Amino acid sequence: MAAMAGKLMNSLKSKEFREYLMSTHFWGPVANWGIPIAAIADTRKDAAMISGKMTLALSLYSIMFMRFAWRVQPRNMLLFACHFTNECAQLTQGARFINYHHLGGKEAASQPASE
């Protein structure tokens, strides 16, 4: 176990790792994490506020960038994970939008709770 920890520390101290931390291959995905974090936070908000067009646009955006992250050499798994997370969050928001606007969620929310 100690040998594995030592190997990890040497890897983290390497020139290649420092160069990776100073590249757009790292900072681009880090900056993009704001999108899925906001989408996950929005799942707690009222479904009436969801924009169907924006949800669709962000879903398509994430699908395209997941493909890009997979195809670029070397593969950018941090970018892939970011857009995979965003895709899941946008699909959740899309399901909430459809439920609210097309499957009776709006009517159920407007009726008073019966006791």
Side-chain angles (χ1 to χ4, degrees):
M1 187 69 170
M4 200 158 112
K7 189 175 180 180
L8 176 65
M9 287 305 295
N10 287 338
S11 176
L12 293 176
K13 292 179 185 178
S14 71
K15 182 180 185 227
E16 291 83 16
F17 185 73
R18 287 192 311 268
E19 287 176 358
Y20 172 69
L21 287 179
M22 297 300 144
S23 71
T24 56
H25 220 69
F26 175 76
W27 287 108
V30 167
N32 266 318
W33 273 100
I35 298 169
I37 290 169
I40 291 167
D42 285 348
T43 60
R44 296 188 172 270
K45 294 183 180 174
D46 186 18
M49 299 183 70
I50 299 171
S51 167
K53 290 179 183 179
M54 183 55 86
T55 300
L56 177 63
L58 285 169
S59 291
L60 295 174
Y61 163 81
S62 283
I63 288 171
M64 289 187 311
F65 273 91
M66 281 188 338
R67 182 181 184 280
F68 170 79
W70 189 259
R71 300 286 301 197
V72 71
Q73 291 299 320
R75 285 190 176 143
N76 193 334
M77 297 311 289
L78 185 56
L79 184 64
F80 185 87
C82 171
H83 286 288
F84 180 80
T85 303
N86 188 47
E87 186 65 26
C88 294
Q90 295 303 328
L91 291 175
T92 300
Q93 290 292 75
R96 291 180 66 222
F97 176 82
I98 290 169
N99 182 46
Y100 184 80
H101 289 284
H102 302 290
L103 299 177
K106 187 187 298 186
E107 292 78 20
S110 65
Q111 292 178 354
S114 60
E115 295 179 29

